[in-house]
Amino acid sequence: DARVVVIGAGIVGCSLADELTARGWRDVTVLEQGPLPAPGGSTSHAPGLVFATSPSRTLTRFAARTIEKFTALESDGAPCFSAVGGLEVATTEERWADLHRKARLAASWGVRGTLLTPEECARHWPMLDTALLYGGWYTPDDGIARAVPACRAQLARATARGARFLDRHTVTGIEQAAGRVTGVVTDRGTFPADHVVTAAGFWGPVIGAMAGVTVPLLPLAHQYATTAPLPGLAAPGGPRDGAVRPLLRFQDRDLYFREHGDRLGIGSYAHRPMPVDPRTLPAYDDAPVMPSSLPFTADDFAPSWRDATDLLPALGASRIADGFNGVFSFTPDGMPLLGEASGLRGFWLAEAVWVTHSAGAARAVAELMTDGHAGLDLHACDPDRFEGAQRSPAYAAARGTRAFIEVYDVVHPLQPPAHPRPLRVSPFHDRQRELGAYFLESGGWERPHWYEANAPLADGLALPARDAWAARHWSPVIAAEARATRERVGLYDLTPLRRLAVEGPGALAFLQYLTTNQLDRPPGTVTYTLLLDAHGGIRSDLTVTRLTEDRFRIGANSGADLAWLRRHAPDGVRVRDLTPGTCGIGVWGPLARDLVQPLTGDDFSHRGFGRFRARRTHLGPVPVLAQRVSYAGELGWELYTTADLGRCLWDTLWEAGRGLGAVAAGRGALDGLRLEKGFRAWGHDMTTECDPYEAGLGFAVRPAKGDFLGRAALAGREAAVRRRLVCLTLDDPAAAVLGGEPVYAGGEAVGYVASAAHGPTVGRCVAHAWLPAAHAAPGTAVRIGYFGDLLAATVAEEPLVAPEGARPRR
Ligand code: FAD
């Protein structure tokens, strides 16, 4: 049996012990510094509000799991979840529109909810000042998790299956040997372990430091107050600490409310961010209340009290009776940290998890540990999504603070974080700024979305105006750059994409085993291939360039790919990250050859340099690795060089493109181009939740090549596809969607939009959507829910625009 030590017996540690033992892992020890069952972490005082809907499908499904599990879990003869419902109210036009959008998201992810008039809101909460309201959104299945009883119940269940919970054991060290964790040191002895999970809540960075693993989260205090008894509240017949009315959220003022019998609990995110250094907190026995409960700072709460009284005027007759500043975790992007740390085998993170998501997150980590595969897409929770500078305490502090401030804001899906920027810049950055680049951020990189210098090209397009939401971080210039790429040639900054080197004897066999396509091809070839997990789910897609017999270049998606390759690499195979020291430009469009050929003595004709071929050459003075592949689906090359020569590469290509009408083009244009060609976007269109056949990527799977990871799981799946990623075009050329919207067939939400962009050739919005096979046939009419509208769309034959290979060759 694997020996597991879990650090921390909050809601996450208890849930994890339950999930691991339920999967047959019995040798589970949970070490907790405080006394059980309320040891003094964030869980010990969490008011337990569960609002399921989130822009993240994964978080929404984590919450659904918590609701389902805690409803069935009993402690003291009562269920650990009470479905009192949730009500979010809107007091601004923007919020009201956002509630419409949220209602659509909820439909996409399978959460029930209804938009209400102010009067209907008042039926749930008679105290509301309806004059302030535009309306509300009611979600009947949301409610209150009884966090400490849920800990107790899961603790009891895990104990009955063989787990041990040892309280008053303070972890002081993590032992390791040869890159693997071997044990956990406490003030009361050492515990040998094959797997160690830190579920230490906001103490996570302290535990991480013991293991040499950075845990990028920021502990922040958050204010929670309770009123004196309010006559209007007393829950008829309810328990004193219970609630009968729905949870109430007043996000325009960063507030939430729940009943505690005849008192009202009020949580506020409106106050100044209050970072906490966990190393300075007292131990349980020395803390006035609990280590995670700091004294209430009434001045900070005063504006929130006024706002609360505006919304619920009856509060004016009451007062704050009690309050505290409770500490919990914020990560740079607001998502949890779940998975094995890349630097230390057997050291797992289950950090920055809300009570709301605890059961789902714990299940996912337990699945990963016992089975190597979680049922849900975890890429946005992967600890390896952060790297280098993003792991620094300074970055975690800046972004964590931002995540706190924005927690209830209306945040556009493309909105880049404001600070600290710029963090990573390509060697082309100055040139891009000179061209008026509008930068968004990707993996810490400044990435142009379009260039204002191209604005004159948009003048002639006469595109219909977008609605205000879809027009954010968008410009008609995007369409102009995409057009220019289809008609002439565009230069695309590829630097933010991940570049890896895999080298050494055995490199081919290693990559053959890890990926789906046939890579045993001559040096100088490029192959599109997939990384699967053992269950056949798509972890990532790669382009693999064979440079020599045992040296490969890989175009990958994320730090998680790097970690995955390193984790599996046998002795003798080296996996290196080339990204920071190199850069790249995509030169794509029908005139790409005219641009590049004069710069080199090498033959760039179709015959001399075919599709999916690669070679080293010089463009002017710059040594490059040239690969004839294109995510835009046009003739062209990806051209890579070292960072020091990047500026020279840009200038060389820019000069060569002058007479050809070449444009610098941004990521916005590329999204439209790739959607028209049917190319999938990792993380949006494909994740571990789908297999290659469902995603329309069966062409990249070669079961006949021999065994590879995931092959056995794919057997028989091609013929059994029940849902598909399809291409939709919106019927109205003026309509736009952004991703995450529900797709309706016959009035029922049957799927959702995975990604979308303006298609420059078809002159309308193009989307990839997940739909049941029954609704996936080309020509099928569907509707997409977008705010208050239902937009007509049609399933289209793919690709909308013929791929480069299907065009006449010059
Ligand atoms: P914790 O409960 O903090 O557990 C970690 C445990 O690790 C602690 O018990 C600690 O003692 C132990 N530990 C740490 N270091 C060591 C060590 N060296 N050795 C041994 N043990 C160690 N979430 C919601 O979903 N809904 C809400 O309404 C909500 N409201 C909140 C209100 C407030 C005021 C606060 C502060 C938080 C709220 N949260 C809410 C967030 C939620 O409480 C936390 O995200 C969640 O409880 C974290 O659970 P955890 O198990 O990860 O951490």
Side-chain angles (χ1 to χ4, degrees):
D1 249 20
R3 295 164 303 175
V4 182
V5 171
V6 177
I7 303 169
I11 194 72
V12 177
C14 291
S15 297
L16 195 54
D18 181 48
E19 296 285 343
L20 284 170
T21 52
R23 281 164 181 73
W25 281 28
R26 303 293 155 113
D27 194 344
V28 175
T29 304
V30 182
L31 300 173
E32 168 54 58
Q33 63 189 1
L36 291 169
S42 309
T43 307
S44 299
H45 50 58
L49 287 79
V50 175
F51 288 94
T53 307
S54 144
S56 157
R57 179 167 175 271
T58 298
L59 288 191
T60 306
R61 295 184 55 200
F62 280 172
R65 170 69 184 145
T66 303
I67 292 173
E68 180 195 43
K69 185 177 189 185
F70 288 9
T71 302
L73 198 64
E74 287 208 345
S75 185
D76 317 322
C80 295
F81 182 79
S82 163
V84 292
L87 177 65
E88 295 189 23
V89 292
T91 60
T92 63
E93 208 169 327
E94 188 193 21
R95 180 72 60 183
W96 185 221
D98 197 55
L99 289 188
H100 284 77
R101 190 176 67 93
K102 255 192 175 163
R104 294 299 187 192
L105 264 182
S108 293
W109 311 151
V111 177
R112 294 195 301 155
T114 325
L115 290 162
L116 302 182
T117 63
E119 292 67 35
E120 288 168 330
C121 293
R123 258 178 244 147
H124 290 289
W125 270 93
M127 284 181 180
L128 281 168
D129 180 355
T130 52
L132 291 182
L133 304 186
Y134 282 76
W137 183 49
Y138 175 63
T139 42
D141 301 321
D142 285 336
I144 295 172
R146 296 167 61 224
V148 172
C151 285
R152 212 183 296 126
Q154 294 182 96
L155 183 157
R157 207 153 69 179
T159 306
R161 296 190 196 112
R164 327 182 258 179
F165 285 74
L166 303 177
D167 64 359
R168 298 209 175 263
H169 279 65
T170 301
V171 173
T172 56
I174 306 291
E175 294 189 328
Q176 47 181 297
R180 265 215 82 98
V181 76
T182 55
V184 176
V185 184
T186 74
D187 57 349
R188 295 169 71 178
T190 297
F191 294 79
D194 305 305
H195 296 274
V196 174
V197 191
T198 169
F202 64 82
W203 286 274
V206 181
I207 302 292
M210 296 175 194
V213 171
T214 310
V215 178
L217 65 78
L218 178 71
L220 283 159
H222 153 57
Q223 292 199 291
Y224 192 79
T226 317
T227 66
L230 269 169
L233 266 193
R240 198 184 126 55
D241 66 343
V244 288
R245 292 189 179 78
L247 318 172
L248 180 63
R249 283 213 279 194
F250 181 20
Q251 287 169 287
D252 294 319
R253 293 285 185 277
D254 295 312
L255 291 174
Y256 63 81
F257 306 84
R258 61 154 285 189
E259 291 169 295
H260 294 275
D262 58 358
R263 295 158 192 261
L264 197 61
I266 310 174
S268 168
Y269 292 105
H271 53 82
R272 68 195 158 95
M274 304 183 212
V276 174
D277 181 346
R279 292 167 305 185
T280 63
L281 294 177
Y284 187 93
D285 293 328
D286 303 327
V289 186
M290 293 178 194
S292 67
S293 176
L294 305 180
F296 189 59
T297 49
D299 287 352
D300 289 309
F301 200 79
S304 290
W305 178 247
R306 280 195 296 277
D307 289 335
T309 312
D310 284 348
L311 185 73
L312 305 167
L315 280 184
S318 185
R319 63 184 171 81
I320 302 287
D322 216 349
F324 66 103
N325 294 359
V327 186
F328 74 112
S329 310
F330 283 80
T331 56
D333 57 5
M335 295 291 287
L337 299 162
L338 306 177
E340 194 176 15
S342 52
L344 183 57
R345 294 303 314 262
F347 188 74
W348 299 79
L349 308 188
E351 289 288 349
V353 178
W354 289 35
V355 172
T356 299
H357 308 122
S358 56
R363 172 190 272 194
V365 173
E367 286 171 343
L368 280 182
M369 291 176 70
T370 57
D371 199 23
H373 168 91
L376 290 174
D377 162 32
L378 294 183
H379 83 272
C381 307
D382 195 319
D384 289 316
R385 69 189 182 275
F386 300 115
E387 56 184 296
Q390 293 180 307
R391 291 176 187 266
S392 65
Y395 185 89
R399 288 281 166 96
T401 304
R402 195 72 225 158
F404 175 87
I405 293 169
E406 285 179 357
V407 72
Y408 276 1
D409 287 359
V410 175
V411 179
H412 191 276
L414 288 177
Q415 184 173 311
H419 177 75
R421 281 181 71 191
L423 187 67
R424 309 175 83 187
V425 294
S426 82
F428 324 131
H429 190 69
D430 288 350
R431 293 292 186 250
Q432 292 168 339
R433 286 172 54 129
E434 286 161 22
L435 293 171
Y438 183 88
F439 291 101
L440 296 181
E441 200 209 48
S442 169
W445 290 95
E446 293 295 313
R447 187 165 71 178
H449 208 52
W450 74 82
Y451 296 86
E452 275 304 323
N454 294 324
L457 298 177
D459 289 345
L461 289 183
L463 289 181
R466 286 189 159 200
D467 68 274
W469 183 254
R472 283 195 208 174
H473 309 297
W474 195 81
S475 161
V477 178
I478 289 174
E481 290 172 1
R483 279 277 186 98
T485 306
R486 286 267 189 266
E487 290 166 5
R488 300 190 300 279
V489 56
L491 304 185
Y492 290 82
D493 183 358
L494 305 179
T495 310
L497 304 175
R498 173 79 55 166
R499 290 169 294 286
L500 310 176
V502 177
E503 295 163 348
L508 173 66
F510 163 59
L511 290 172
Q512 284 282 66
Y513 178 68
L514 269 200
T515 81
T516 57
N517 212 335
Q518 176 57 273
L519 303 179
D520 191 4
R521 301 170 65 208
T525 47
V526 186
T527 308
Y528 178 80
T529 187
L530 302 172
L531 281 182
L532 304 184
D533 64 20
H535 288 240
I538 302 176
R539 279 193 63 94
S540 190
D541 63 339
L542 310 176
T543 51
V544 176
T545 304
R546 189 168 195 185
L547 297 176
T548 64
E549 284 300 312
D550 52 16
R551 293 177 60 224
F552 294 83
R553 275 295 164 81
I554 295 191
N557 284 303
S558 73
D561 293 346
L562 173 65
W564 182 255
L565 291 178
R566 283 198 169 141
R567 195 167 293 158
H568 288 86
D571 286 348
V573 173
R574 276 205 312 157
V575 181
R576 288 183 297 133
D577 184 8
L578 304 178
T579 318
T582 57
C583 59
I585 297 178
V587 179
W588 294 321
L591 301 185
R593 184 173 289 124
D594 304 66
L595 192 153
V596 177
Q597 182 65 80
L599 296 171
T600 172
D602 271 320
D603 181 3
F604 270 53
S605 70
H606 181 66
R607 198 178 290 265
F609 200 146
R611 296 177 68 231
F612 290 101
R613 304 288 304 174
R615 88 163 50 131
R616 290 190 186 282
T617 183
H618 282 83
L619 296 179
V622 185
V624 294
L625 173 66
Q627 308 190 152
R628 191 167 157 204
V629 290
S630 165
Y631 198 42
E634 295 295 329
L635 170 69
W637 287 267
E638 294 182 350
L639 304 165
Y640 294 106
T641 191
T642 48
D644 56 334
L645 289 166
R647 172 86 161 252
C648 188
L649 176 65
W650 179 278
D651 289 345
T652 303
L653 295 171
W654 185 253
E655 203 49 47
R658 264 182 198 282
L660 300 170
V663 297
R667 179 68 200 198
L670 190 52
D671 269 332
L673 293 167
R674 68 99 188 155
L675 272 153
E676 286 188 335
K677 297 283 181 171
F679 296 148
R680 274 58 178 145
W682 170 80
H684 299 279
D685 299 338
M686 52 183 165
T687 69
T688 49
E689 286 184 39
C690 65
D691 72 36
Y693 304 117
E694 296 168 325
L697 295 171
F699 68 87
V701 182
R702 298 292 156 88
K705 77 167 179 173
D707 195 22
F708 57 83
L709 189 63
R711 188 178 89 148
L714 292 184
R717 297 261 277 269
E718 190 168 13
V721 166
R722 290 211 305 268
R723 59 180 195 135
R724 288 189 190 282
L725 188 74
V726 302
C727 177
L728 301 178
T729 54
L730 270 65
D731 295 1
D732 177 357
V737 295
L738 302 176
E741 297 85 0
V743 180
Y744 297 89
E748 194 191 337
V750 292
Y752 64 92
V753 175
S755 65
H758 175 80
T761 315
V762 298
R764 60 192 64 241
C765 185
V766 181
H768 279 158
W770 278 102
L771 290 181
H775 300 286
T780 306
V782 294
R783 287 180 186 275
I784 303 178
Y786 181 73
F787 290 89
D789 297 328
L790 284 173
L791 308 175
T794 308
V795 179
E797 191 91 55
E798 286 193 89
L800 294 172
V801 175
E804 188 224 326
R807 288 207 183 159
R809 286 174 183 147
R810 296 185 306 135

